[in-house]
Amino acid sequence: MPRLRPRNRDRKKNDRLTARTAVRIAAPRHPWADGLSDVSIAGDPLAFPHLARTDLPRHPVTVADQARLVREIAADRARWEPLVRYDALTRWYARLETGPGYEVWLLSWLPGQSSGFHDHGRSSGVMAVVRGELTERSLTADGEGTRVLRPGTQRVFSDGYLHEMVNAALEPAVSVHLYTPGLVEMNQYGAAVAEYQPEPR
């Protein structure tokens, strides 16, 4: 039996149908099939909530922010109380928090323990007593000052501030200290502090 050959126009019609069907049944092409697109790597640039979260705590920038953070930590006894330790030989330290440009420390003081006269180098900050009481002796361009710090009391200090903290009471004391930038040096003055003459600021 002779084979029937399709006419040219039928062949073209079949070719068009075949091409259309191939497009329909082919697996959909991934928009970032090369795997190198910035969007495929980083995600939709318009869907950025994961890059701009608003539920994270704000880092303290101003002195008011720093004082607020110290007050909040001082009031949160469940946060710092389990960490308190006392050392018969020296003051005891625990870092409570750190962030860009600041850190917060918890210090404990047995009766008679003292920091000695010191400054904090380039760091300024805020401190608060949260248990017991501490006596601060400070030296400034205006002369020497002494004050007793009790729970709820806050002190703000600038870089280069020269003072001594001592537990002159009969009970242990605990304090919270924020330093900005983080504390990297404490210059001790010892016996020479009597001759120390701070420069006017």
Side-chain angles (χ1 to χ4, degrees):
M1 181 176 183
R3 292 176 58 190
L4 298 174
R5 299 183 61 188
R7 292 178 296 176
N8 284 340
R9 66 181 180 190
D10 292 337
R11 183 180 297 129
K12 288 179 184 172
K13 181 180 178 183
N14 288 340
D15 288 345
R16 282 197 303 273
L17 285 173
T18 303
R20 244 186 249 135
T21 306
V23 169
R24 249 197 324 267
I25 63 172
R29 180 174 170 79
H30 193 281
W32 310 304
D34 61 0
L36 300 176
S37 164
D38 287 346
V39 176
S40 69
I41 295 169
D44 183 349
L46 300 179
F48 67 93
H50 62 293
L51 301 176
R53 292 176 56 185
T54 57
D55 60 330
L56 298 176
R58 189 165 60 91
H59 296 301
V61 177
T62 66
V63 173
D65 290 339
Q66 295 160 11
R68 173 191 53 78
L69 178 58
V70 169
R71 280 196 306 274
E72 289 175 358
I73 292 174
D76 189 0
R77 299 183 71 88
R79 177 176 182 183
W80 57 262
E81 205 162 31
L83 302 175
V84 174
R85 304 286 183 275
Y86 296 105
D87 188 320
L89 299 178
T90 183
R91 291 165 297 147
W92 179 90
Y93 305 78
R95 188 155 63 182
L96 289 173
E97 184 172 321
T98 185
Y102 79 98
E103 59 185 10
V104 182
W105 289 85
L106 180 72
L107 275 70
S108 68
W109 313 69
L110 285 174
Q113 289 182 337
S114 167
S115 66
F117 269 99
H118 66 281
D119 66 30
H120 307 101
R122 293 172 44 247
S123 299
S124 59
V126 180
M127 67 155 293
V129 174
V130 294
R131 179 187 294 168
E133 66 180 44
L134 295 172
T135 299
E136 179 190 37
R137 180 179 166 215
S138 59
L139 290 178
T140 70
D142 298 326
E144 182 178 324
T146 302
R147 62 184 55 82
V148 176
L149 308 178
R150 296 182 175 88
T153 306
Q154 280 190 312
R155 291 284 293 140
V156 175
F157 53 89
S158 62
D159 58 310
Y161 180 65
L162 179 63
H163 71 156
E164 176 186 36
M165 302 295 298
V166 60
N167 182 356
L170 299 177
E171 299 294 329
V174 180
S175 54
V176 173
H177 303 245
L178 180 149
Y179 301 101
T180 177
L183 191 62
V184 294
E185 60 178 319
M186 276 183 61
N187 301 306
Q188 296 286 339
Y189 291 88
V193 75
E195 288 77 42
Y196 176 77
Q197 296 296 325
E199 295 180 8
R201 297 180 70 82

